[in-house]
Amino acid sequence: MPTQSEHKRLIGRFSNLPSPPAILIELIDSCNNSDVSFKHLAETIEKDAGVSSKVITAANSPFYRQWQEISDIQRLLVVLGIRSVRTIAINSAVQQFFNQLSKQAGQALDEIWFQSLICAQTAKALADLTTYRSPDEAYLAGLLHRLGQLALLQASPDEYGAILEQDLTGESLVKAEIEKFDFSSPQIGSHMIESWDLQSFLADAVLYQHEPADNILDCSHLVKLVNLASHLSDSSDKLENEVLARADTLFGLNQTIVEELIQDARDKAANAARSLGITLPRQKTEKQAQDHQQALAERIKQAALFGGGLEAIPETPDVIATMQQIQRDLDLLFGIQQVCYLILNQDGKTLSPISPTAHNNALLEEITISVESDRSLAATAFNQKSSRYSQGDENLPLVSVVDRQLARFLNNEALLYLPLSTHQSRIGLIAIGINQNQWEELDGQQQLLTLFAGEAAEMLQRQQNMLSHQQQMIEDERATFHLEARKVVHEANNPLGIINNYLHILGMKLGEDHEATEELNIIKEEIARVGKIILRIRDIPDELEQQTKSVDINQLIQDLYKLFQSSLFPMHNISTELDLDSNLPHLDTQRGHIKQILTNLIKNAVEAMPEGGKLGIETRANAYINGKEHIEIQITDDGPGIDKEIMDQLFTPVTTTKDNSHSGLGLTIVKNLIDELSGSINCTSNSGVGSRFQIYLPRIG
């Protein structure tokens, strides 16, 4: 017989427990109802062991509070939230639909479900009758008493279905299970419940449900309740003497009380089935089973159309919160908990690890993974846009030290890399720490994992776009503020200087001995103080204001090109052409100003081509403006062009061709920055042909 550690390794095989289709249909429909209450959801979930186990597992995951009291499903639902419950229901439906049980196993599932419901009602009634402290916990224990049977039916539907078809019960069924699988369903169910780390004897109650009554007389009340309820629910319409003797031994109950109690439990279970539109197992026709399966398929289709997994993107950008949501959904959908992200840096050459839930992110910050060659499994997965498992025979030669470091960080022996990529760009990877048992489970869900990763990438891409747009607006506003501040300083100093001169003239006319001389001196001092205050505005730190130094314009353009080539250009289907004059001299100018000018013009050109197009960047070493040498930077696009009435006021802050911009502020900033550099800008545009911006900067040296 397997050891306890061997049993625990089997738990990974039993994560996707089947549920009656009608239960899942009811649950999905309830979650889609905006007026649904947690009480109603709890009543639906409490009718099925499979969904109940998923809810308890999710509520005890690292993302949610560990509950000491597990008897109240409704409290757990408050922790999880309706969206997470809907995710559990849809995931169960998808997995069940794509891993359809055989007809034989499907009939066995109905029988297990109905008997579990009878046992739950019986355990609760016994708890009330014997004054057990928590009848709800007794109900849940009764509902889960056949959890191991669900697991075996999911793992081996034909083999276990054949055993169940023999109508074996109690010790006879346990013996047949051990002969076939080397372990029994109570053992598996107990170990599954133990993995939830609950403060309860629930696992023992499931494990010892078939023990002789004399062996459990000194055990906890819950163990005795489930033991008796299990035997009562297994009984036929007429109770056997052995079961009646067990009731007397454990709780001193006579035949009349026991018969009334079990009949009431069967009636309630039948009513629950009818409320869900479920035909009792031995009354169900093949057509009714097909109808339920078709209805379940329809709910899956609706979930796909309206998004059954990932939560909608928040209105305000928060990449870390989005990563946390993706990680929670990975846990709910696939039981994946050990996760970190490898995000492509702006240089387009390296990946940096991020864990939105880990406390030791400082260690991750020391890791940078190059993607310029396939010298790690992470780089290979990223470059080839394909999932990679570090223990796969074809992947083992690619596993590097950094891959092993990430596996240790995620407390696992192996890694599964999922690429995060959209139609427009590559964002990075999800790195998942898994063991061999988890891989055996996930290997059969590669298609679902790939679909999930694609949705996650879209979410992260939208978040990054929002952040980029927000940052650009902040930079534009900051630049505008500093430009306006300089204008204020310049314009305010002129009248202050004039006032100061007239005060000096007035003092000379009045003479040094005039009684107003002291007041005039005070006014002069205050005006000088105002001048100093205004000058402080000019000295506000400005990220764009840098010391004049030698700038390689061509290199700056190439750096920006690489940045946009991994994000902005592919996202908008933009092809590019660079024509950089190798004779272009370095300029003694302000790099920050040049970078801001080019960034604004490139983004404007991309936005002018919403359906995609061609963008060109060209430099020329020798251009003459008013007889003086300049260098030229030219940016062209083949967009729709700019209307004539807009061209007339192109560099004013009140005109824009963009629907959701900030009043054409970008071109105003460009013009002001070029003026500060003593340069000039010119634009030519024809409707339907495109636009061309030409920047001329003085050539020095």
Side-chain angles (χ1 to χ4, degrees):
M1 182 172 291
T3 64
Q4 184 169 349
S5 62
E6 288 172 332
H7 278 309
K8 289 183 177 180
R9 285 200 298 271
L10 293 170
I11 291 173
R13 295 171 51 193
F14 306 133
S15 58
N16 302 318
L17 301 180
S19 299
I23 292 278
L24 299 175
I25 292 167
E26 169 72 14
L27 191 54
I28 292 171
D29 288 348
S30 296
C31 290
N32 288 336
N33 181 358
S34 59
D35 297 325
V36 70
S37 66
F38 284 111
K39 182 175 183 295
H40 177 78
L41 286 176
E43 290 172 350
T44 303
I45 290 169
E46 286 172 351
K47 293 173 183 174
D48 179 61
V51 177
S52 294
S53 69
K54 287 184 175 69
V55 168
I56 297 171
T57 302
N60 282 278
S61 72
F63 300 103
Y64 301 99
R65 174 182 169 185
Q66 295 283 338
W67 289 85
Q68 298 299 316
E69 280 290 335
I70 52 87
S71 59
D72 192 345
I73 289 288
Q74 187 173 335
R75 289 177 64 200
L76 298 182
L77 296 184
V78 173
V79 176
L80 291 171
I82 288 177
R83 198 205 70 81
S84 294
V85 175
R86 181 172 180 269
T87 299
I88 290 173
I90 290 172
N91 177 55
S92 300
V94 170
Q95 290 171 333
Q96 197 157 317
F97 183 74
F98 285 104
N99 298 288
Q100 293 184 18
L101 299 173
S102 67
K103 178 181 176 181
Q104 182 182 35
Q107 292 173 343
L109 172 62
D110 291 336
E111 190 69 37
I112 291 172
W113 171 77
F114 190 59
Q115 293 301 322
S116 296
L117 205 53
I118 294 173
C119 186
Q121 295 289 355
T122 303
K124 188 175 189 298
L126 284 171
D128 289 331
L129 187 64
T130 60
T131 64
Y132 180 56
R133 59 175 177 78
S134 179
D136 288 333
E137 184 184 31
Y139 178 96
L140 187 60
L143 186 68
L144 298 176
H145 85 293
R146 294 193 180 213
L147 192 64
Q149 290 188 358
L150 289 177
L152 287 170
L153 191 63
Q154 179 70 24
S156 305
D158 294 326
E159 294 90 338
Y160 194 59
I163 291 177
L164 294 178
E165 202 173 43
Q166 301 174 36
D167 286 331
L168 301 174
T169 60
E171 288 298 326
S172 298
L173 178 60
V174 167
K175 182 179 178 182
E177 290 170 346
I178 292 175
E179 287 178 355
K180 182 66 177 177
F181 301 106
D182 293 331
F183 47 79
S184 69
S185 57
Q187 289 171 328
I188 287 298
S190 175
H191 284 311
M192 292 177 71
I193 295 170
E194 277 184 355
S195 70
W196 300 339
D197 195 24
L198 306 174
Q199 299 299 314
S200 169
F201 283 111
L202 199 155
D204 285 350
V206 171
L207 180 62
Y208 300 120
Q209 60 184 284
H210 298 306
E211 282 289 320
D214 291 339
N215 290 359
I216 60 170
L217 282 174
D218 296 323
C219 289
S220 69
H221 201 142
L222 185 64
V223 170
K224 292 185 285 187
L225 285 173
V226 174
N227 183 283
L228 178 56
S230 171
H231 283 79
L232 287 172
S233 63
D234 277 346
S235 300
S236 59
D237 293 338
K238 185 177 180 179
L239 296 177
E240 298 177 357
N241 290 333
E242 189 278 328
V243 178
L244 293 173
R246 186 180 295 267
D248 181 49
T249 300
L250 292 175
F251 297 109
L253 302 178
N254 61 42
Q255 182 175 349
T256 302
I257 292 175
V258 173
E259 286 178 343
E260 290 178 355
L261 185 146
I262 188 61
Q263 185 58 51
D264 183 61
R266 286 172 178 156
D267 290 342
K268 288 180 177 178
N271 289 335
R274 282 191 289 271
S275 71
L276 292 166
I278 297 176
T279 306
L280 296 183
R282 298 183 184 184
Q283 301 170 0
K284 182 177 288 188
T285 66
E286 185 173 345
K287 182 180 183 304
Q288 288 169 327
Q290 290 175 347
D291 289 344
H292 278 148
Q293 198 66 23
Q294 288 173 358
L296 189 62
E298 182 62 29
R299 298 311 189 282
I300 293 170
K301 188 171 96 174
Q302 292 172 1
L305 290 174
F306 296 104
L310 294 168
E311 191 174 62
I313 189 169
E315 294 182 0
T316 55
D318 189 339
V319 174
I320 295 300
T322 300
M323 287 180 175
Q324 290 172 340
Q325 182 59 54
I326 292 169
Q327 197 163 343
R328 280 192 291 270
D329 284 331
L330 277 169
D331 186 18
L332 289 172
L333 292 169
F334 304 102
I336 293 171
Q337 296 180 359
Q338 302 297 330
V339 172
C340 75
Y341 299 84
L342 303 178
I343 301 300
L344 184 66
N345 292 314
Q346 285 192 349
D347 60 12
K349 300 176 181 178
T350 56
L351 298 169
S352 289
I354 298 174
S355 174
T357 57
H359 299 294
N360 52 345
N361 260 318
L363 289 175
L364 286 181
E365 291 174 0
E366 298 180 18
I367 296 176
T368 303
I369 302 174
S370 172
V371 295
E372 290 189 297
S373 64
D374 290 344
R375 65 189 186 203
S376 66
L377 189 62
T380 302
F382 176 81
N383 291 327
Q384 298 185 10
K385 291 186 179 181
S386 62
S387 60
R388 294 282 175 159
Y389 175 52
S390 63
Q391 295 296 317
D393 292 340
E394 74 280 9
N395 293 325
L396 279 174
L398 299 171
V399 176
S400 69
V401 172
V402 73
D403 296 311
R404 291 194 286 269
Q405 279 187 296
L406 286 175
R408 283 203 305 274
F409 177 83
L410 295 173
N411 297 316
N412 264 293
E413 60 199 42
L415 284 175
L416 172 62
Y417 288 118
L418 294 179
L420 289 168
S421 59
T422 67
H423 296 302
Q424 297 86 13
S425 61
R426 293 180 295 178
I427 297 171
L429 301 167
I430 301 177
I432 301 169
I434 58 175
N435 56 42
Q436 181 61 37
N437 288 334
Q438 287 176 300
W439 169 247
E440 291 174 2
E441 179 67 31
L442 293 175
D443 190 32
Q445 303 184 60
Q446 283 289 315
Q447 186 176 4
L448 290 176
L449 280 167
T450 301
L451 290 172
F452 179 93
E455 289 297 316
E458 293 285 352
M459 286 183 66
L460 289 171
Q461 182 65 70
R462 292 195 295 272
Q463 286 280 284
Q464 289 180 350
N465 291 346
M466 290 171 65
L467 282 172
S468 176
H469 180 68
Q470 186 181 74
Q471 185 61 37
Q472 185 62 45
M473 289 183 66
I474 292 172
E475 290 178 0
D476 287 350
E477 289 169 2
R478 182 186 292 118
T480 301
F481 170 78
H482 287 294
L483 289 169
E484 291 301 317
R486 295 188 194 97
K487 290 180 182 178
V488 168
V489 171
H490 177 73
E491 293 172 4
N493 276 333
N494 287 336
L496 285 177
I498 293 171
I499 293 171
N500 205 39
N501 289 337
Y502 274 101
L503 285 174
H504 181 70
I505 293 170
L506 182 59
M508 291 179 61
K509 288 182 178 180
L510 294 176
E512 295 182 0
D513 298 331
H514 194 278
E515 59 183 9
T517 299
E518 185 176 351
E519 285 78 1
L520 287 175
N521 289 334
I522 292 173
I523 293 173
K524 288 180 180 180
E525 290 173 1
E526 290 304 308
I527 288 175
R529 194 158 70 89
V530 170
K532 291 178 181 178
I533 292 172
I534 292 175
L535 286 174
R536 285 210 301 270
I537 297 177
R538 184 190 64 190
D539 296 331
I540 292 175
D542 183 355
E543 292 180 5
L544 299 175
E545 185 69 33
Q546 301 180 20
Q547 290 184 349
T548 297
K549 60 182 181 181
S550 180
V551 178
D552 185 342
I553 303 294
N554 281 347
Q555 185 61 52
L556 179 56
I557 291 173
Q558 288 174 341
D559 291 343
L560 287 174
Y561 171 78
K562 290 178 183 177
L563 173 62
F564 292 138
Q565 191 64 28
S566 63
S567 56
L568 187 67
F569 294 157
M571 188 187 313
H572 294 276
N573 195 26
I574 301 296
S575 62
T576 55
E577 181 178 341
L578 293 185
D579 184 8
L580 306 181
D581 190 339
S582 60
N583 295 319
L584 196 76
H586 292 195
L587 296 187
D588 290 334
T589 186
Q590 297 179 40
R591 177 184 172 86
H593 280 33
I594 303 294
K595 184 177 180 180
Q596 182 76 6
I597 291 165
L598 293 173
T599 298
N600 282 10
L601 289 177
I602 291 171
K603 287 187 173 181
N604 282 352
V606 170
E607 290 170 359
M609 299 180 287
E611 303 301 325
K614 184 176 180 180
L615 182 144
I617 305 175
E618 180 181 347
T619 59
R620 190 156 58 98
N622 297 298
Y624 290 88
I625 306 295
N626 296 326
K628 295 183 179 179
E629 282 189 309
H630 289 68
I631 66 109
E632 178 187 356
I633 306 172
Q634 183 172 281
I635 297 175
T636 59
D637 67 71
D638 60 1
I642 303 172
D643 294 338
K644 184 179 183 305
E645 57 270 22
I646 296 176
M647 283 290 294
D648 294 339
Q649 303 179 58
L650 190 61
F651 297 106
T652 62
V654 294
T655 305
T656 180
T657 58
K658 293 179 278 186
D659 293 333
N660 298 309
S661 67
H662 29 97
S663 302
L665 190 58
L667 288 178
T668 304
I669 292 171
V670 166
K671 179 66 167 62
N672 288 331
L673 291 174
I674 291 174
D675 287 345
E676 285 202 2
L677 298 177
S678 301
S680 61
I681 183 170
N682 178 55
C683 177
T684 56
S685 182
N686 294 308
S687 181
V689 176
S691 303
R692 178 177 64 179
F693 285 84
Q694 294 167 289
I695 304 166
Y696 298 97
L697 299 174
R699 176 171 174 164
I700 303 172

